[in-house]
Amino acid sequence: MAVRGSPVGDGEPIEGGWLPMTHEPWMERGRCREVDPELFYPEHKGANATHAAYKNAVKICSLCEVRSQCYDFAWRNNEQFGIWGGHYALQIRRAKRRKERES
Ligand code: SF4
């Protein structure tokens, strides 16, 4: 099992892909450092497992002190997979597209 050293990790392989190599200082304070990194990439599991994993991940994110930095990172980098700041990457990309259309 890979260890999620940060929301984006250190370039380690995980089921279904690789954690990116980007690293920012706030990532050292992410609560997800303490848990299985695959919890934050539920897209690769079945629908029921995905929902359960999402709920668990969001619970962890809700207690995380760097939640806004995490969300912002996914926003800036157009993250394709995973949970960032308590939201799916897909939700963040949709919000970004909505904002771009409005401006
Ligand atoms: S908000 Fe969630 S995914 Fe982001 S660093 Fe915190 S615990 Fe990790």
Side-chain angles (χ1 to χ4, degrees):
M1 168 185 13
V3 175
R4 194 182 215 205
S6 71
V8 292
D10 300 319
E12 297 176 77
I14 62 165
E15 187 180 306
W18 285 77
L19 295 173
M21 295 182 72
T22 307
H23 190 81
E24 295 184 1
W26 60 266
M27 294 171 179
E28 298 294 328
R29 305 197 325 268
R31 273 196 166 244
C32 52
R33 292 179 61 88
E34 301 158 14
V35 299
D36 179 356
E38 292 185 11
L39 187 64
F40 290 83
Y41 291 89
E43 294 96 338
H44 306 299
K45 316 230 182 260
N48 289 340
T50 300
H51 185 64
Y54 175 74
K55 282 173 59 177
N56 284 334
V58 166
K59 199 180 299 178
I60 293 167
C61 291
S62 72
L63 301 170
C64 180
E65 66 176 280
V66 292
R67 189 174 175 179
S68 64
Q69 291 99 317
C70 183
Y71 184 95
D72 181 60
F73 179 88
W75 178 288
R76 284 186 278 117
N77 292 287
N78 289 319
E79 287 295 334
Q80 300 295 305
F81 300 104
I83 292 169
W84 303 82
H87 299 271
Y88 271 120
L90 175 64
Q91 294 172 311
I92 298 170
R93 291 198 316 277
R94 282 181 179 157
K96 186 175 180 178
R97 282 199 301 271
R98 222 176 8 256
K99 183 166 184 175
E100 286 169 350
R101 276 196 304 270
E102 290 167 5
S103 56

